[in-house]
Amino acid sequence: MAPRTPVIVGVAQATWRDGGSPDPVAMMAQVVTAAAADAGPGEALLRRAQTIAAVDTVSRRWADPAALVAQHLSLITPRETVRSSLGGDAPHQLVGDLAAAIARGDVDAGIIVGVEALATLARALKAGTEPDGWPPLDDGAAPNRIVGQDRAGSSDVENAVGLIAPMMMYPLFEQSLWARDAPGMDTSAYQLRLGGLAARFNAVAQTNPYAWSPAPLTAEQIATPSPANRQVTLPYPKLLNSNIQTDQAAALILCSVETAQALGISSDLWVFVHGHAVAHDHWHVTERDDLSSSPAIRLTAQAALAAAGARIDDVAHLDVYSCFPSAVQIGARELGLDPFTADRDLTVTGGLTFAGGPGNNYVTHSIAAMVQRLREHPDDLGLVTAVGWYLTKHGVGVYGARPPRQPFASTSVQPQVDALPRRTVMPDYDGPATAEAACVIYERDGSPSMAILTALTEDGIRVLGSSTEPAVLTEMIDGPVAGRLTHLRAGGGFDLRDASAS
C-alpha cells in the first residue's frame, strides 16, 4: 500500500438532548478531542494535524470556525484553516479535499469538524435572548481556503413565486414521484406509503446512541397529521421533514498510512475512501428536465463505484441522504435500489428526521457512523450520499476497511451532467399549460394557505404560478396535479380545472 494513501483513523459524534450543550466552538473541540482519542494517539495525533476544516455553521456564521477550534485546542497549530460552503454536501467535499491533499503529500494529517446548536438557538430566540457564552462573530477573519460552491440555490423566477426553501422545493419532487409511481392513490394512502418508508429509518435511529429523536414510531404515527405532527406541506406532516433544530457535533480525522503507522494507530481502526465523486444537477430546479430523477446522483454513484471496483449489489451498508422522502426515493432509485423494498437499510444513522439534520453537518455524522459500521464488518463496503440545496449538489463516497484498489482520486462527472437536456423557464407567462407538480403550504392550524405550481406549455417550456385563493387550494389537496389543465396569469396566479375536466 502506498505510504501516502489517505485513511480515516478517528471519528466522534456527540448529541446534547438535555439543553446542556456548551457553546458551539467548545462542542467542536470536544468531538475533535474524542476523535483523536478514538484513533488512539490522542494529543500526539492532534499535534500532527496540519489542516483543520470546518463545515459552515448555520447557528452562528463565523467566518473561520476552524481557527476558533484551533485556538480552543491549543494543541493544534494548523498550517491552514478551511471552511466549507453552504450545503449538505459540504462534509463530503471536505473529505475529498483533505484526502487529495494527503495523497499529494501536502498534508500528513487533518481534521474535519462540524456543529449545530440550533435547538439552543431556537430556545433563546423564543425567550427573546441570545445563547449564553457563545463566541462573538469573528469579523475580519478568513480561512485560508473555502471548499465548495457558494451560490444561491433559487433563481429569480423561482423566488418570485415563493420557491425559496427546501420545504417548498422537495414537495415538488414528491408530487412528481406520486404522479409517476402511485397516480391513483389518495393523500392519506400516499402519506401512509411514505410513513412506511420513514419507519424503516426510525427503526435504525432507535439503535443509534447519537440520534436526536430515537423514540419508536409506527408508520401510521409518522404519516398521520395531528396536533403533534402538523401538516407542513402536501403530503408531508412534520415527521416527514428533516429536523434541523438539534444540538449535535461530529468530527473525522484523516491521515496518511505512513503517519498512522508512525503513530501506532491500529489498522483495525482504518477505513479508506475507495471511491469519491461529485457533481451538481442543473443548478436551478425549474431548469431540470424531469423533477422525479437526478442524473447527477446516478452518474456520481457510477463513478464512485467504478473507482471501488464494485457494483451496488456489492455494497452492504448504505446511508442515502434523507432530508425528505423524495430525496430518499430519488437517491435510492438512482443507485439502482427500490426504496420501499430494498433488502438493506438505507441508513446507518436513522436519517435527518430521527437521527437529526444539523444544518450542513449531517454527512459528517453519517460518515462517522459508517466508519464505525465498517470497523465492525471489515470485509464489507459502505456507501454514503450527500446532497446540497434542492437535490442540487451531490456527492457519493464508497468506504471500506480493506485497502483500496487504486490511489485516491475524486472524480467529477460534471461534463456529463451539463450535456443533459435543460428546460427553458418562462417568467410571467399568461396562457394555458398542463400542470406538472405543486407544493401546498399549510398554516399551523392545519389549513392550506398557499400553493406553488409548475406546469409545462405545449412546447415543453416550464412555467410557474402561485395562489392563495381558497377555491384553488381546495382543488389541490386530494392528489397530485400532474396532467390537469391550468391557465396561468401574468404576475404569478393560476386557475386549475378539477380532475374530471382534465
Side-chain angles (χ1 to χ4, degrees):
M1 187 169 21
R4 299 303 311 178
T5 301
V7 60
I8 302 172
V9 294
V11 298
Q13 302 180 69
T15 297
W16 293 263
R17 299 187 196 89
D18 59 2
S21 64
D23 71 79
V25 172
M27 292 164 71
M28 286 190 281
Q30 179 173 322
V31 291
V32 168
T33 301
D38 172 67
E43 294 183 4
L45 178 56
L46 295 181
R47 291 193 184 98
R48 294 290 292 269
Q50 296 155 302
T51 294
I52 180 166
V55 177
D56 193 18
T57 304
V58 178
S59 311
R60 180 157 289 182
R61 301 298 299 279
W62 289 291
D64 191 5
L68 297 176
V69 176
Q71 292 166 14
H72 194 284
L73 292 170
S74 56
L75 293 168
I76 305 175
T77 54
R79 179 191 304 161
E80 65 168 1
T81 59
V82 177
R83 194 190 78 230
S84 78
S85 63
L86 192 69
D89 63 315
H92 177 80
Q93 294 275 5
L94 292 177
V95 166
D97 181 77
L98 180 54
I102 291 169
R104 289 192 306 267
D106 297 341
V107 174
D108 293 329
I111 297 163
I112 297 168
V113 64
V115 68
E116 288 300 346
L118 285 161
T120 292
L121 179 62
R123 285 192 297 270
L125 293 177
K126 187 175 182 180
T129 63
E130 288 287 323
D132 292 335
W134 285 20
L137 291 174
D138 51 346
D139 296 332
N144 297 98
R145 292 186 297 114
I146 295 175
V147 171
Q149 293 191 59
D150 267 324
R151 181 182 175 189
S154 304
S155 69
D156 291 342
V157 179
E158 292 163 356
N159 289 335
V161 297
L163 288 172
I164 58 173
M167 66 171 284
M168 290 87 170
M169 290 289 195
Y170 282 88
L172 295 180
F173 306 138
E174 191 64 65
Q175 276 231 355
S176 191
L177 292 163
W178 189 353
R180 186 192 71 189
D181 298 338
M185 197 172 285
D186 66 23
T187 298
S188 294
Y190 191 74
Q191 287 175 319
L192 187 59
R193 170 182 166 90
L194 299 181
L197 178 64
R200 295 185 64 179
F201 281 72
N202 175 260
V204 175
Q206 293 172 45
T207 69
N208 177 3
Y210 305 106
W212 183 259
S213 302
L217 294 167
T218 65
E220 290 79 6
Q221 289 171 318
I222 294 168
T224 305
S226 68
N229 187 31
R230 69 180 183 88
Q231 193 75 46
V232 178
T233 56
L234 184 72
Y236 295 152
K238 182 178 178 181
L239 289 174
L240 291 176
N241 288 257
S242 174
N243 181 10
I244 197 172
Q245 291 191 13
T246 71
D247 291 350
Q248 294 177 299
L252 314 170
I253 300 181
L254 283 71
C255 67
S256 65
V257 163
E258 63 183 354
T259 300
Q261 291 170 333
L263 291 171
I265 299 173
S266 171
S267 60
D268 291 341
L269 302 176
W270 299 2
V271 171
F272 300 91
V273 187
H274 286 239
H276 188 278
V278 296
H280 62 77
D281 277 306
H282 295 329
W283 196 270
H284 296 130
V285 168
T286 51
E287 294 179 353
R288 298 175 199 165
D289 185 53
D290 174 20
L291 299 182
S292 65
S293 66
S294 169
I297 296 179
R298 181 173 67 255
L299 292 167
T300 52
Q302 290 172 356
L305 286 165
R311 299 171 299 114
I312 191 61
D313 290 344
D314 300 320
V315 176
H317 312 283
L318 298 161
D319 198 87
V320 178
Y321 200 86
S322 53
C323 50
F324 295 88
S326 56
V328 175
Q329 293 168 78
I330 291 172
R333 292 198 186 279
E334 298 295 13
L335 291 173
L337 300 168
D338 185 323
F340 297 97
T341 63
D343 59 358
R344 287 153 284 178
D345 288 327
L346 299 178
T347 180
V348 291
T349 68
L352 281 85
T353 298
F354 308 110
N360 304 313
N361 197 47
Y362 168 78
V363 172
T364 313
H365 289 267
S366 62
I367 294 173
M370 186 63 76
V371 167
Q372 295 284 19
R373 179 70 61 86
L374 294 171
R375 287 172 173 175
E376 296 165 2
H377 302 278
D379 293 323
D380 292 350
L381 290 175
L383 183 148
V384 175
T385 74
V387 173
W389 284 120
Y390 315 125
L391 281 180
T392 306
K393 300 187 287 182
H394 301 284
V396 174
V398 179
Y399 298 87
R402 302 303 183 210
R405 63 192 290 266
Q406 61 186 32
F408 175 83
S410 182
T411 303
S412 173
V413 295
Q414 199 58 52
Q416 296 96 303
V417 179
D418 290 343
L420 295 171
R422 186 187 302 263
R423 293 273 183 187
T424 298
V425 183
M426 185 183 298
D428 293 325
Y429 173 74
D430 193 317
T434 301
E436 180 188 27
C439 170
V440 180
I441 303 165
Y442 286 73
E443 296 293 333
R444 288 186 173 274
D445 64 4
S447 61
S449 61
M450 180 181 179
I452 303 168
L453 179 80
T454 75
L456 299 175
T457 68
E458 188 177 13
D459 296 330
I461 294 171
R462 187 170 278 128
V463 291
L464 309 177
S466 62
S467 179
T468 58
E469 298 177 22
V472 174
L473 297 175
T474 299
E475 281 289 322
M476 303 183 75
I477 60 176
D478 291 330
V481 299
R484 297 172 66 179
L485 301 180
T486 182
H487 189 101
L488 287 90
R489 301 187 295 272
F494 66 90
D495 299 311
L496 188 71
R497 296 186 185 181
D498 63 36
S500 63
S502 298

